[in-house]
Amino acid sequence: MAGIDWELLRAKAIEATARSYAPYSGLAVGAAAVVGDGRIITGCNVENASYGLALCAECTLVGQLRMTGGGRLTAFACRGGDGQLLMPCGRCRQLLYEHGGPDCLVDAPDGIVTVARILPYAFGPEHLPE
């Protein structure tokens, strides 16, 4: 947790909600993460009329990670448009595991926890045959 400006990360997540496309649910979601090289990247949710094809903020954040040079996520925060803490869904917890690893820090209702805590017994690339 040392060196992570959680207030800045939360503010960046809230700021990202302004770019959200949520005409169906009305729930604007923004995500922000610190990358291993110190960059802060953001993402927002992008809904779709077919609902199931909507992209969570974490999905666009990982796209931003890849588009800006890759790396590993080290800390993550997610907020709604009014600033409320939101937790990643199951698919997005898997994305955080894949792109940040089990030790990536997550802003959670009970404080700062690891991805391993919110996704125990995760399946990842290390489980695939070589």
Side-chain angles (χ1 to χ4, degrees):
M1 270 192 309
I4 303 295
D5 185 343
W6 286 99
E7 289 306 313
L8 175 63
L9 203 56
R10 293 169 184 138
K12 291 288 187 183
I14 294 167
E15 187 179 296
T17 66
R19 294 176 193 84
S20 174
Y21 177 73
Y24 307 104
S25 72
L27 178 63
V29 180
V34 177
V35 181
D37 64 9
R39 283 178 292 145
I40 293 179
I41 57 172
T42 59
C44 65
N45 60 322
V46 180
E47 293 182 349
N48 184 290
S50 67
Y51 291 102
L53 294 178
L55 297 175
C56 298
E58 295 86 344
C59 294
T60 62
L61 179 135
V62 167
Q64 184 71 2
L65 174 68
R66 302 303 310 155
M67 293 295 295
T68 61
R72 299 294 284 169
L73 302 176
T74 60
F76 172 84
C78 187
R79 290 289 188 275
D82 63 358
Q84 84 271 25
L85 172 89
L86 298 173
M87 286 299 293
C89 70
R91 172 179 71 170
C92 293
R93 291 174 193 213
Q94 180 68 33
L95 281 171
L96 293 174
Y97 180 82
E98 186 98 8
H99 296 278
D103 297 326
C104 178
L105 300 175
V106 178
D107 191 17
D110 55 344
I112 306 305
V113 300
T114 64
V115 167
R117 169 107 180 264
I118 66 168
L119 187 65
Y121 308 107
F123 179 86
E126 68 275 13
H127 298 104
L128 297 173
E130 292 182 31

